[in-house]
Amino acid sequence: MFAVYAAEPNSDDPLAALVVGERPDPEPADGWVPVTVRAASLNMHDLWTLRGVGIRRDRFPMILGCDGAGTLADGTEVVIHSVVASPGWVGDETLDPKRSLLTEVHQGTFADTVVVPAHNVQPKPASLSFTEAACLGTAWLTAYRMIFVKSGLRPGQTMLVQGASGGVATALIQLGRAAGLRVWATGRTEAKRALAEELGAHGTFESGARLPERVDGVFETVGEATWSHSIRALKPGGVIVCSGATSGPNPGAELQRLFFLQLRVVGSTMGTREELRDLAGFLDVSGVRPRIGLELPMDRAPEGFAAMESGDTAGKIVFTR
Ligand SMILES: NC(=O)c1ccc[n+]([C@@H]2O[C@H](COP(=O)([O-])OP(=O)(O)OC[C@H]3O[C@@H](n4cnc5c(N)ncnc54)[C@H](OP(=O)(O)O)[C@@H]3O)[C@@H](O)[C@H]2O)c1
């Protein structure tokens, strides 16, 4: 079948490991179902996979794509939940030490067909297009959990999103705005800050800029480049929710501020299938729709990867079949 895959890890030149070609048709194991992919979105995770981060060398070649939307054999339209728990695991899948995301152990969604455990599909609300639904499984689910499950923030409080144009950042801005939070965002260029405002941010700032006042919560996916600013941006008792470290994973800890101001640092990863169901429900009733910055037929996937690698994002990058 048609597939976009990583031939082997390449830490120096990840795009050199990207292949648009053919892979064997998947064989569903017992309890797994094939999904005919209609759309799938690109995540930074796919670039990490090309670099060989978070995946064993003997897993290559690996079809890329952590999330997507498509149809089951009976025509049911579904959204894919990417967190694959180990057999017999009960409860929050994200806490299963043996969990994996699609593309870490099992083949991903940038293909004609992907196979997943039967409980890893959720009905797609009819109000969402396949392209929109393809954004939910990773970036939007991660943002949903960060705000609604992990942060403890309430409507009326102020949140700062580090980054303006990325997949998770745009989801945080749009979800936060729809939930009644005051949303501030930092962006590296004027165009990115303008996008954040268009998506609902009440205020935007250059990366690292002094804010008009301290905030209740900061939402971090950038890491080293913004961490110190995130710590300094918080009110006493405030919270940083962190789900990524694009610019590097080892920032200064700023422990004095952490304990004197009684800050909380909370890690967050993906979300449960119930949270994915509720995210889909929230978009259905609120009318919020993922901002898609670039939509391409899947055979032009390398153009999307190049845009993400160069930081040229304006929302989600989606590939269609
Ligand atoms: N833990 C999880 O479950 C999970 C799930 C999804 C994503 N993630 C992680 O979250 C991160 C973002 O993923 P994504 O798919 O949203 O990527 P993306 O679409 O490429 O977005 C990258 C974001 O990072 C910002 N950024 C990058 N380098 C920066 C720097 N040096 N200084 C300031 N801002 C910088 C960009 O801000 P501008 O808008 O200003 O360019 C942009 O908002 C990745 O590290 C990914 O692995 C984790």
Side-chain angles (χ1 to χ4, degrees):
M1 65 174 177
F2 171 86
V4 177
Y5 63 95
E8 59 192 1
N10 188 329
S11 57
D12 298 330
D13 185 4
L15 298 193
L18 183 64
V19 182
V20 176
E22 293 282 319
R23 295 294 300 151
D25 287 338
E27 302 276 338
D30 268 1
W32 289 52
V33 291
V35 179
T36 302
V37 178
R38 296 287 304 276
S41 77
L42 180 63
N43 290 283
M44 187 64 87
H45 195 90
D46 297 302
L47 274 168
W48 295 128
T49 304
L50 284 164
R51 289 192 177 100
V53 177
I55 176 171
R56 278 189 358 219
R57 196 174 187 98
D58 62 353
R59 301 278 189 211
F60 290 87
M62 176 59 76
I63 300 174
L64 297 165
C66 300
D67 54 25
T71 52
L72 299 178
D74 65 2
T76 308
E77 298 184 347
V78 295
V79 182
I80 292 164
H81 183 222
S82 179
V83 184
V84 180
S86 53
W89 177 264
V90 178
D92 184 335
E93 306 88 308
T94 67
L95 298 178
D96 175 1
K98 294 191 177 142
R99 75 180 187 277
S100 65
L101 301 190
L102 290 180
T103 75
E104 290 174 350
V105 177
H106 307 288
Q107 303 291 318
T109 55
F110 294 169
D112 288 328
T113 305
V114 60
V115 294
V116 295
H119 55 241
N120 276 61
V121 294
Q122 291 283 352
K124 176 182 84 60
S127 62
L128 292 181
S129 68
F130 282 109
T131 311
E132 291 163 344
C135 302
L136 268 52
T138 300
W140 276 70
L141 178 61
T142 299
Y144 181 92
R145 183 175 176 90
M146 289 172 80
I147 300 176
F148 300 116
V149 181
K150 293 290 188 173
S151 78
L153 295 192
R154 299 186 300 274
Q157 294 189 303
T158 302
M159 64 185 278
L160 174 69
V161 181
Q162 295 286 15
S165 69
V168 180
T170 50
L172 287 164
I173 293 166
Q174 293 185 254
L175 288 171
R177 174 72 190 224
L181 287 142
R182 176 178 292 108
V183 181
W184 289 352
T186 62
R188 290 181 290 176
T189 66
E190 209 172 304
K192 286 168 184 275
R193 294 190 290 276
L195 171 72
E197 282 174 26
E198 192 196 316
L199 294 177
H202 298 90
T204 57
F205 307 90
E206 290 178 25
S207 305
R210 190 183 175 86
L211 303 176
E213 58 188 62
R214 293 210 159 88
V215 303
D216 299 288
V218 183
F219 292 77
E220 258 290 352
T221 60
V222 179
E224 285 180 16
T226 51
W227 188 260
S228 173
H229 183 248
S230 296
I231 293 270
R232 283 181 285 117
L234 280 177
K235 284 179 186 167
V239 62
I240 295 183
V241 186
C242 175
S243 71
T246 304
S247 63
N250 294 308
E254 316 252 9
L255 289 179
Q256 275 183 328
R257 268 185 189 272
L258 194 76
F259 64 76
F260 269 130
L261 298 179
Q262 302 188 68
L263 307 177
R264 289 186 300 130
V265 177
V266 178
S268 193
T269 280
M270 300 295 283
T272 64
R273 60 173 169 269
E274 289 80 13
E275 288 158 15
L276 178 60
R277 176 199 62 204
D278 296 345
L279 164 63
F282 185 41
L283 298 196
D284 191 32
V285 298
S286 66
V288 171
R289 294 292 176 269
R291 168 56 67 107
I292 294 160
L294 183 61
E295 182 178 334
L296 294 166
M298 206 176 276
D299 56 1
R300 289 175 56 193
E303 294 169 46
F305 278 81
M308 179 170 275
E309 197 198 20
S310 66
D312 181 17
T313 48
K316 288 292 292 174
I317 296 169
V318 182
F319 305 135
T320 52
R321 278 304 277 161

